[in-house]
Amino acid sequence: FLSQTPWLWNTRQCWSGYPYQPLMPDLHYYYIVELSFYWSLMFSQFIDIKRKDFGIMFTHHIVTVTLITFSYVTNLTRVGTLTLCLHDAADVVLEAAKMANYCKCQKLSDLLFLTFAIVFIVSRLGMYPLWILNTTLFELYEALGNFPALWVFNVLLVILQVLHCFWSYLIIKAAYKAISKGKVAKDDRSDIESSSDEEETVLRSKTLHSSITTNGTGGANGTNGYLTGGTCSEEH
């Protein structure tokens, strides 16, 4: 859809003819799908694993849903599509890295995570301020002057940039551990004490099971009159 639009390569086209810009069906459906996706993330966060950045992630979802809705109502949808596409680019690689991790493909997961780190930092700390914030803060003001919606829109976009900086710090930290240790370290956002306790309990029980005599066949000489490794002992 965006490849056929003039504002993908020239952001000044986002403000050409504003606010009398026609709402194309493709743009409408793009917005509806993205809005429903972020609404689902907001609700699923309460039933998902609770992480240390729960509050920050919830703030991100609130800001994103507000931005999508506000830009749709005020017909700032052209720059809205650019913002959505820029954010989705890194998420695709992140989900691929997660799937590789779940499939126990550690090397592929590590490679995809490092790729995600590069894409995220370039898109969120480079392209976002130079491409999106530049056109909303400067080109929009030059084209249309000052109006209330401009400031509300830009405040929300700047809040997103602050969140990008925070997550970039976590990603760089994880990427450094991945390079230094040879694999992606545990998610710094994780806060799952119960899972760790269960894993430790399982490991302790396995160790205990391997060292204790079971069914009369453990130990150096066995028990119940049988020696370890004997045929009779195995049959018994």
Side-chain angles (χ1 to χ4, degrees):
F1 163 69
L2 285 176
S3 65
Q4 301 173 5
T5 61
W7 63 85
L8 176 63
W9 309 112
N10 183 8
T11 53
R12 291 185 180 274
Q13 288 295 324
C14 291
W15 323 117
S16 178
Y18 182 85
Y20 306 105
Q21 296 173 342
L23 180 64
M24 294 175 285
D26 291 343
L27 189 151
H28 168 75
Y29 290 123
Y30 186 19
Y31 253 70
I32 293 300
V33 170
E34 290 282 356
L35 182 60
S36 62
F37 171 68
Y38 281 103
W39 268 114
S40 70
L41 287 182
M42 186 185 300
F43 287 113
S44 64
Q45 188 177 12
F46 291 97
I47 60 175
D48 199 358
I49 296 172
K50 192 171 183 180
R51 301 182 184 275
K52 292 178 181 178
D53 67 339
F54 176 86
I56 296 175
M57 186 66 75
F58 186 69
T59 301
H60 173 266
H61 297 334
I62 291 290
V63 172
T64 303
V65 169
T66 305
L67 264 173
I68 295 174
T69 305
F70 183 79
S71 62
Y72 188 89
V73 171
T74 56
N75 206 26
L76 295 168
T77 50
R78 291 188 176 184
V79 72
T81 57
L82 298 181
T83 307
L84 290 170
C85 185
L86 190 64
H87 281 71
D88 289 343
D91 291 342
V92 173
V93 188
L94 176 61
E95 299 304 329
K98 288 181 180 180
M99 289 191 290
N101 183 51
Y102 297 151
C103 294
K104 308 300 182 183
C105 300
Q106 189 62 47
K107 291 184 178 180
L108 178 60
S109 177
D110 294 346
L111 178 61
L112 287 171
F113 177 79
L114 293 176
T115 304
F116 159 74
I118 295 172
V119 173
F120 186 94
I121 292 170
V122 170
S123 61
R124 307 292 177 91
L125 298 187
M127 296 178 65
Y128 181 80
L130 295 176
W131 193 31
I132 303 299
L133 292 182
N134 177 65
T135 190
T136 58
L137 286 171
F138 303 108
E139 294 178 353
L140 173 57
Y141 184 81
E142 291 175 5
L144 303 174
N146 189 17
F147 58 101
L150 180 149
W151 296 105
V152 175
F153 194 55
N154 279 308
V155 166
L156 293 172
L157 290 173
V158 170
I159 292 175
L160 275 186
Q161 181 61 20
V162 173
L163 296 176
H164 294 164
C165 293
F166 171 76
W167 279 317
S168 294
Y169 163 74
L170 295 181
I171 291 170
I172 293 172
K173 186 177 178 181
Y176 173 77
K177 291 180 180 179
I179 295 173
S180 60
K181 296 182 179 180
K183 65 178 181 179
V184 175
K186 181 181 177 182
D187 191 346
D188 288 330
R189 303 176 303 145
S190 297
D191 191 16
I192 320 168
E193 290 81 7
S194 58
S195 297
S196 300
D197 293 341
E198 290 174 2
E199 291 176 0
E200 291 176 2
T201 303
V202 171
L203 288 175
R204 284 198 299 266
S205 63
K206 286 182 177 180
T207 304
L208 189 63
H209 178 76
S210 63
S211 61
I212 294 179
T213 302
T214 57
N215 295 330
T217 60
N221 297 321
T223 57
N224 296 332
Y226 293 106
L227 296 174
T228 58
T231 306
C232 295
S233 175
E234 293 173 357
E235 291 174 355
H236 177 77

